[in-house]
Amino acid sequence: MPDNSLYGLVRPLLFSLDAESAHNLTLPALRRAAALGLTKLIAKPADDPRTVMGIRFANPVGLAAGLDKDGAYIDGLAALGFGFIEIGTVTPRAQPGNPKPRIFRLPAAHAVINRMGFNNGGVDAFVTNVQASRFYQSKQGVLGLNIGKNLDTPIERAADDYLYCLEKVYPYASYVTVNISSPNTKNLRQLQGASELDALLSQLKEAQLRLADQHKRYVPLTLKIAPDIDTEQIKNIADALLRHKIDGVIATNTTISRDAVTGLQHAEETGGLSGAPVFEASNRVVRGLKAELGDALPIIGVGGILSGSNAKAKVQAGAALVQLYSGLIYRGPALVKECADALR
Ligand SMILES: Cc1cc2nc3c(=O)[nH]c(=O)nc-3n(C[C@H](O)[C@H](O)[C@H](O)COP(=O)(O)O)c2cc1C
């Protein structure tokens, strides 16, 4: 069926550009459109409030991390009707990320491969951007701040980077996400291992409690994990989350598997695969976590949501909230309302 939406008209133009140029064109345009009030023309979801981790979300559909790594476009993104916005991943110091090209579309599979490598302007610039946004100033919306480690910090000292970022972003966050699941920072996923995770989470929990006391506000911590883990790893991670009283888990990041896209152009590019091919793998992790965690802590489900029915399946698998990224590239902002409507 032809897509007669505005995004349906714009998409061929964006897809005629390489993926990062399209990204770099869209976000400033969205910011201008929001400043001019044009985003009011986009149909927004009706309120469907949920309280998760003690936070009230206006609706259960959020923006996943990575689209706005520096928090430079918060107000434009907020105008699309999300129930929450997660920005980052940010690292202590600015870093350029990997050489371009580093994002690839696989349209036949409704998929994306990226190896951005945490390109960002560092946590100080990030906090300045957050403070400057009307979204933050109004205190009306839910803002997740996603933190990581610099490429050149040795993996044995990873905790230092997370603790440094946590300290800096804590006062401005509705919740903080600890991202240990990007495939594009060497050895990062090792932090999902039992002893590494134990050490990391115990230090983060201690810092969280100290910061809660200092700022007189408890900010929930979530852990973002990969889809490329087996049942035993899911169980170990769930145990660690419970033991350290972490507040939530985000499942999942991108996959390093290429099983679902073999033979397609760009399928062999290094990086994380997202979009439709990660849907089942992410759902498997969400289901596994739900079986271990029950209602002890909430799961935010992300990976391959390209329709309202995908969002519903994510919730049926055990997610309390969902997030979108690649689906926005293929479906445009109408996907936000479609998912929120499906979950109401
Ligand atoms: C270009 C791109 C960059 C991303 N950058 C980040 C990031 O910086 N931090 C993070 O936690 N996840 C990042 N992600 C992962 C997404 O947040 C999401 O977990 C993943 O893409 C699966 O969801 P999707 O299939 O809806 O895209 C990135 C994804 C893409 C496509």
Side-chain angles (χ1 to χ4, degrees):
M1 207 172 73
D3 181 352
N4 292 322
S5 69
L6 180 58
Y7 189 73
L9 298 174
V10 172
R11 197 182 94 153
L13 296 175
L14 292 175
F15 275 35
S16 72
L17 305 171
D18 81 273
E20 191 160 350
S21 303
H23 175 94
N24 291 339
L25 195 72
T26 307
L27 287 174
L30 178 61
R31 170 157 62 193
R32 280 195 295 279
L36 292 170
L38 294 174
T39 42
K40 291 204 179 78
L41 301 172
I42 298 170
K44 307 285 186 325
D47 260 16
D48 177 19
R50 319 275 167 116
T51 299
V52 178
M53 305 186 290
I55 301 169
R56 183 184 181 279
F57 293 77
N59 72 62
V61 182
L63 174 69
L67 195 125
D68 187 7
K69 289 181 189 269
D70 288 313
Y73 300 101
I74 298 172
D75 291 329
L77 292 163
L80 301 181
F82 290 107
F84 59 117
I85 290 175
E86 188 169 316
I87 60 170
T89 296
V90 70
T91 57
R93 287 165 285 112
Q95 59 178 30
N98 286 316
K100 296 175 188 173
R102 53 192 181 176
I103 318 183
F104 306 89
R105 285 181 294 253
L106 291 74
H110 290 127
V112 175
I113 291 175
N114 93 83
R115 53 168 177 272
M116 302 300 284
F118 290 168
N119 57 302
N120 77 100
V123 71
D124 289 328
F126 180 88
V127 164
T128 302
N129 286 340
V130 171
Q131 286 176 293
S133 69
R134 271 175 300 150
F135 187 76
Y136 168 72
Q137 290 163 11
S138 74
K139 307 274 187 240
Q140 296 299 312
V142 177
L143 189 60
L145 304 183
N146 179 310
I147 61 176
K149 72 172 272 295
N150 278 113
L151 175 69
D152 58 5
T153 300
I155 199 71
E156 308 76 53
R157 296 227 311 273
D160 296 351
D161 279 15
Y162 288 100
L163 291 166
Y164 184 84
C165 287
L166 178 63
E167 185 104 25
K168 293 266 184 178
V169 305
Y170 189 95
Y172 312 101
S174 306
Y175 68 90
V176 176
T177 299
V178 177
N179 178 14
I180 54 167
S181 48
S182 167
N184 302 316
T185 295
K186 196 167 171 260
N187 297 334
L188 189 76
R189 288 179 169 197
Q190 276 181 20
L191 299 173
Q192 296 180 134
S195 63
E196 292 89 343
L197 190 58
D198 221 36
L200 179 65
L201 294 185
S202 79
Q203 292 179 75
L204 286 167
K205 188 70 202 183
E206 198 183 306
Q208 179 200 29
L209 295 178
R210 178 175 50 74
L211 289 162
D213 196 43
Q214 184 183 327
H215 296 283
K216 304 283 170 264
R217 186 169 72 95
Y218 181 84
V219 175
L221 275 184
T222 65
L223 185 74
K224 184 162 177 180
I225 65 171
D228 308 306
I229 53 175
D230 62 23
T231 312
E232 192 180 321
Q233 285 171 296
I234 294 175
K235 194 173 164 8
N236 287 341
I237 291 171
D239 282 352
L241 292 167
L242 291 171
R243 226 170 330 108
H244 295 286
K245 300 192 163 53
I246 302 305
D247 303 280
V249 54
I250 305 189
T252 66
N253 214 309
T254 57
T255 178
I256 54 170
S257 163
R258 294 293 185 270
D259 293 351
V261 293
T262 28
L264 295 181
Q265 192 191 9
H266 301 310
E268 300 311 321
E269 293 289 349
T270 301
L273 173 68
S274 58
V278 80
F279 182 64
E280 277 311 327
S282 296
N283 289 355
R284 185 184 61 80
V285 174
V286 172
R287 274 194 300 273
L289 287 169
K290 185 69 184 172
E292 296 296 330
L293 297 170
D295 295 328
L297 62 100
I299 302 162
I300 300 176
V302 50
I305 299 178
L306 277 105
S307 67
S309 62
N310 291 159
K312 229 168 150 170
K314 205 63 100 183
V315 167
Q316 276 155 5
L321 304 165
V322 301
Q323 289 180 328
L324 315 174
Y325 189 152
S326 302
L328 297 168
I329 296 172
Y330 287 99
R331 297 285 321 281
L335 181 62
V336 182
K337 182 170 168 6
E338 183 180 313
C339 290
D341 286 350
L343 298 182
R344 199 171 31 250

